[in-house]
């Protein structure tokens, strides 16, 4: 009889992928559904990047490559970190994998032992705790609050660190809250981390280029160079260059860690797609001219969504600094009764009733470790966003 491994039984399927699949199935069955659940840009990969991939195919760049990336891409990544983040790395400190997700997984599997703790600030990207558990470690959820802008506070970080803490995962701008840490925020966290030399820092900078209102992006190894030797700075082309399907993520960090990650993938996935790697070389080294206009476009959508959600009975939506998500509170709706007669006790009930009543798919906050909230991805057209937010307003009005 089939049975899952003990490691797999520790984890749950991705809630965001699950809800997107449910929304797609309802749509296929003829329901009028607006899915605000998927975490990917709605625009196409820029042409110069596509052309680089086509050229790679024509040039026969279709063979195995070094498992952790072609030298040309590693160099483009070294140049990117120097140019955009003021961080100096050698190509031997760079690891490329089939997406940002595998980069994080590779780092955790290469380093975490049973009993090791990994601090994961909540709300968190759904995959962090499960990847920690797959690696055999213990995720330690560090709750934030909307009052603190969903950012961890130095005293809370200090209290969460134990002798068993191996990693802390930072993510700025954040999926799901959109919150981003300022230089001063990171400085204060760095001061705590300097006191705990056993703690390594994995910073997920995936949404670096999606920042608004002249927010200045910084990353922790840049803010505190003394942390450079225990920081893994992770990034990818998925969100910034609308390349989610191409599967390229990358990271740079201390050489022994990068070597260990390389050893791991030499026996598992081997290299990411050779053609995607050449496309990523162009993404990082070619024109960057669409990045700022894209951020402006997302900023306008953020403003639209925040404003409309704050007009809905019982909702409160903070204004995030980046990414393409908002994380409104549904506190004012908890305890009310939906048109189906169901009492809304949790954010999962809220999301379920909203989907049934108005066909709007959002992801409940419990999936991200912090309730009673829900996540909206606004990476969709203004017309669809307006329609979805009107439906949410209408739904909230029906709650008694
Ligand atoms: C915070 C964060 N990190 C990493 C990833 C993974 O990106 P990729 O698609 O490159 O695996 C995502 C994707 O949703 C994300 O939101």
């Amino acid at each position: 009889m089939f049975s899952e491994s003990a490691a797999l039984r520790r984890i749950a399927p991705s809630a965001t992928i699950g809800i997107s699949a449910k929304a797609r199935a309802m749509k296929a069955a003829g329901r009028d559904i607006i899915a605000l659940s998927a975490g990917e840009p709605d625009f196409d990969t820029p042409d110069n990047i596509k052309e680089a991939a086509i050229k790679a195919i024509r040039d026969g760049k279709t063979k195995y490559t070094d498992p952790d990336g072609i030298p040309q891409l590693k160099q483009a990544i070294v140049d990117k970190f120097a140019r955009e983040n003021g961080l100096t790395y050698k190509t031997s400190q760079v690891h490329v994998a089939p997406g940002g997700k595998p980069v994080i997984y590779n780092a955790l599997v290469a380093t975490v032992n049973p009993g090791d703790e990994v601090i994961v600030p909540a709300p968190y990207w759904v995959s962090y705790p499960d990847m920690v558990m797959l690696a055999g470690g213990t995720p330690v959820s560090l709750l934030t609050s909307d009052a603190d802008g969903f950012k961890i506070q130095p005293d809370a970080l200090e209290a969460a660190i134990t002798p068993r803490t191996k990693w802390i995962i930072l993510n700025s701008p954040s999926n799901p809250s959109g919150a981003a840490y300022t230089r001063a925020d990171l400085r204060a966290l760095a001061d705590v981390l300097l006191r705990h030399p056993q703690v390594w820092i994995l910073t997920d900078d995936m949404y670096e280029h999606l920042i608004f209102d002249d927010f200045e992006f910084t990353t922790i190894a840049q803010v505190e160079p003394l942390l450079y030797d225990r920081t893994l700075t992770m990034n990818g082309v998925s969100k910034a260059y609308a390349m989610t399907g191409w599967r390229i993520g990358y990271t740079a960090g201390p050489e022994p860690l990068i070597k260990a990650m390389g050893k791991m993938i030499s026996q598992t996935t081997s290299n990411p797609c050779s053609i995607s790697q050449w496309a990523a070389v162009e993404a990082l080294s070619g024109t960057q001219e669409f990045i700022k206009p894209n951020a402006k476009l997302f900023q306008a959508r953020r403003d639209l969504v925040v404003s409309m959600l704050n007009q809905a009975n019982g909702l409160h939506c903070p204004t995030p600094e980046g990414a393409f998500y908002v994380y409104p509170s549904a506190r004012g709706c908890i305890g009310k009764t939906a048109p189906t007669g169901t009492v809304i006790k949790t954010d999962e009930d809220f999301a379920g009733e909203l989907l049934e009543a108005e066909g709007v798919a959002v992801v409940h906050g419990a999936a991200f470790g912090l309730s009673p909230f829900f996540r909206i991805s606004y990476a969709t057209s203004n017309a669809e966003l307006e329609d979805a937010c009107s439906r949410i307003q209408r739904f909230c009005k029906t709650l008694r």
Side-chain angles (χ1 to χ4, degrees), residues 26 31-35 339-340 350-361 387-399:
M26 287 173 79
R31 289 277 315 264
D32 171 20
I33 301 291
I34 305 179
T340 55
F350 177 88
E353 291 296 321
L354 173 65
L355 182 58
E356 269 316 311
E358 292 287 351
V360 179
D387 186 2
C389 291
S390 301
R391 294 185 196 198
I392 293 172
Q393 288 176 353
R394 198 162 60 207
F395 173 70
C396 289
K397 242 188 219 155
T398 63
L399 301 179

Side-chain angles (χ1 to χ4, degrees), residues 108-281:
L108 293 171
V109 170
T111 57
V112 169
N113 289 310
D116 285 348
E117 295 172 359
V118 178
I119 296 176
V120 183
Y124 44 69
W125 180 47
V126 286
S127 298
Y128 298 142
D130 292 78
M131 288 200 275
V132 170
M133 286 188 279
L134 261 183
T138 305
V140 175
S141 178
L142 179 50
L143 299 183
T144 65
S145 72
D146 41 355
D148 286 331
F150 300 114
K151 295 190 236 181
I152 50 171
Q153 302 303 303
D155 50 346
L157 174 60
E158 181 74 59
I161 295 173
T162 76
R164 312 216 66 159
T165 307
K166 180 92 188 201
W167 287 98
I168 175 169
I169 302 180
L170 295 176
N171 173 216
S172 168
S174 151
N175 176 4
S177 72
Y181 289 85
T182 63
R183 181 175 284 273
D185 293 332
L186 289 175
R187 175 71 262 154
L189 298 181
D191 287 340
V192 175
L193 291 165
L194 284 173
R195 291 197 286 276
H196 300 278
Q198 85 281 16
V199 182
W200 285 57
I201 303 116
L202 196 167
T203 173
D204 178 342
D205 299 348
M206 208 65 173
Y207 295 92
E208 166 178 14
H209 288 299
L210 293 164
I211 43 170
F212 314 133
D213 304 322
D214 302 321
F215 184 89
E216 190 207 337
F217 174 86
T218 40
T219 189
I220 196 154
Q222 181 184 24
V223 172
E224 178 46 82
L226 290 174
L227 293 175
Y228 175 92
D229 285 336
R230 50 186 169 112
T231 297
L232 192 63
T233 304
M234 174 267 186
N235 211 317
V237 295
S238 296
K239 315 286 174 171
Y241 302 95
M243 291 177 70
T244 46
W246 298 74
R247 310 309 302 136
I248 296 290
Y250 60 86
T251 192
E255 219 166 80
L257 170 60
I258 296 296
K259 237 184 173 160
M261 291 166 69
K263 177 173 155 189
M264 189 199 143
I265 60 162
S266 76
Q267 294 290 25
T268 53
T269 57
S270 283
N271 63 277
C273 169
S274 57
I275 298 149
S276 296
Q277 290 191 65
W278 283 101
V281 170

Side-chain angles (χ1 to χ4, degrees), residues 55-103:
K55 182 170 184 315
I57 296 173
R58 293 221 166 94
D59 291 350
K61 304 277 205 290
T62 54
K63 307 282 198 225
Y64 289 133
T65 73
D66 289 342
D68 61 355
I70 55 176
Q72 293 85 347
L73 179 51
K74 288 185 176 177
Q75 188 57 52
I77 292 163
V78 164
D79 295 344
K80 175 259 178 278
F81 279 125
R83 180 178 73 234
E84 296 182 344
N85 309 109
L87 289 171
T88 306
Y89 292 108
K90 297 185 285 219
T91 51
S92 55
Q93 292 178 274
V94 172
H95 174 93
V96 184
K101 208 176 223 177
V103 167

